[in-house]
């Protein structure tokens, strides 16, 4: 299988964030609830990245991981962000409630993309077009070690990758990996806008 190395590489990194960013710990109440949900989603992103990168694409595994993201996104996520809920150790920003339209758009888009991935998981794991177009620095051979999870989480600029290149022809819809790239874009976009760059 061929994949856009940068997007897979960047995505792999999100999983590494789970241990690190939760070092602060101690979150309780609704802040703890939403952090747990986010952590579950990060675990699913890790599972998905391994499915796409590891050459062992299993539709059942992909479907299950996508369902976890679907279940935490959309309205479920929005209900965990009542106005002003910024108790320590939250790293959410008050802009969530001054720009609720955009915040909720991203949460709902994430849910839709995850639902699409649930539906697309049975498609062939191989992208139909070779030679994905990658711009920005190429990951070296040891991409697993060299990646920076903070880039994926939207805390730092990351190299751009064309998701178009991994899309299947329009009549069968986006490939699973194109959907996966859009999912991680949704994570990163929301973090860039609504989470403190700590
Ligand atoms: C609609 C906005 C939004 C989307 C979409 C979103 N997140 Fe988050 N995420 C947040 C916010 C806001 C926080 C900080 C919450 C807090 O600290 O109270 C957060 C926190 C996190 C954290 C905890 C890190 C930390 O700040 O300590 C992880 C891990 C995480 N998100 C993963 C994900 C993953 C993976 C996805 C996509 C599958 C995703 N998020 C999608 C808004 C979002």
């Amino acid at each position: 299988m061929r994949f856009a190395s940068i997007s897979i590489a960047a995505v792999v990194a999100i999983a590494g964030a789970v241990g690190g960013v939760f070092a602060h710990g101690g979150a309780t109440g609704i802040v703890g609830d939403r952090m747990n949900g986010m952590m579950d989603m990060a675990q699913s992103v890790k599972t998905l990245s391994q499915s796409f990168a590891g050459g062992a694409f299993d539709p059942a595994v992909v479907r299950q991981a996508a369902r976890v993201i679907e279940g935490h996104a959309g309205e479920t996520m929005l209900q965990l962000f009542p106005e002003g809920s910024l108790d320590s150790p939250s790293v959410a920003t008050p802009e969530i409630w001054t720009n609720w339209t955009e915040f909720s758009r991203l949460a709902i888009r994430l849910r839709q993309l995850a639902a699409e991935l649930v539906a697309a998981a049975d498609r062939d794991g191989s992208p139909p077009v070779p030679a994905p177009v990658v711009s920005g620095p190429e990951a070296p051979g040891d991409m697993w070690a060299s990646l920076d999870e903070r880039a994926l989480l939207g805390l730092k600029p990351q190299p751009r990758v064309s998701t178009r290149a991994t899309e299947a022809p329009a009549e069968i819809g986006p490939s699973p990996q194109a959907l996966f790239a859009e999912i991680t874009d949704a994570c990163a976009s929301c973090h860039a806008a609504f989470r403190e760059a700590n």
Side-chain angles (χ1 to χ4, degrees), residues 91-105:
V91 288
T93 66
E95 282 72 34
I96 290 170
W97 300 287
T98 55
N99 197 359
W100 184 255
T101 306
E102 175 64 4
F103 186 77
S104 54
R105 185 188 71 78

Side-chain angles (χ1 to χ4, degrees), residues 102-172:
E102 175 64 4
F103 186 77
S104 54
R105 185 188 71 78
L106 286 164
I108 287 163
R109 173 164 171 72
L110 177 61
R111 187 180 178 115
Q112 285 166 346
L113 289 167
E116 278 188 60
L117 183 54
V118 171
D122 285 321
R123 284 183 210 141
D124 181 12
S126 304
V129 271
V133 180
V134 174
S135 59
E138 187 81 50
D142 191 10
M143 67 179 190
W144 300 83
S146 66
L147 279 160
D148 184 349
E149 70 261 18
R150 300 175 70 78
L152 181 68
L153 285 165
L155 297 172
K156 258 167 65 164
Q158 56 177 315
R160 299 305 306 165
V161 59
S162 166
T163 58
R164 302 295 105 184
T166 55
E167 271 180 17
E171 58 278 13
I172 61 166

Side-chain angles (χ1 to χ4, degrees), residues 14 17-18 20-24 30-32 34-35 37-45 69 73 77-78 80-81 85-87 89-93 96 102-111 152-153 155 183-184 186-191 194-196 198:
I14 202 169
V18 178
V21 289
F22 280 91
H24 48 60
I30 209 153
V31 171
R34 70 197 184 203
M35 282 187 171
M38 294 284 174
M39 211 158 53
D40 281 359
M41 292 199 299
Q43 183 57 51
S44 292
V45 164
I69 295 173
M77 183 186 287
L78 294 174
L80 295 176
F81 285 92
S85 55
L86 292 171
D87 287 352
S90 176
V91 288
T93 66
I96 290 170
E102 175 64 4
F103 186 77
S104 54
R105 185 188 71 78
L106 286 164
I108 287 163
R109 173 164 171 72
L110 177 61
R111 187 180 178 115
L152 181 68
L153 285 165
L155 297 172
I183 283 171
T184 56
C187 311
S189 299
C190 193
H191 294 162
F194 299 111
R195 202 185 59 173
E196 279 170 27
N198 52 353

Side-chain angles (χ1 to χ4, degrees), residues 48 52 57-64 66-67 114-126 172 174-177 179:
L48 289 167
F52 291 125
F57 185 91
D58 180 344
V61 170
V62 170
R63 198 160 40 236
Q64 178 54 31
R67 279 206 182 104
E116 278 188 60
L117 183 54
V118 171
D122 285 321
R123 284 183 210 141
D124 181 12
S126 304
I172 61 166
S175 69
Q177 35 287 93
L179 288 167

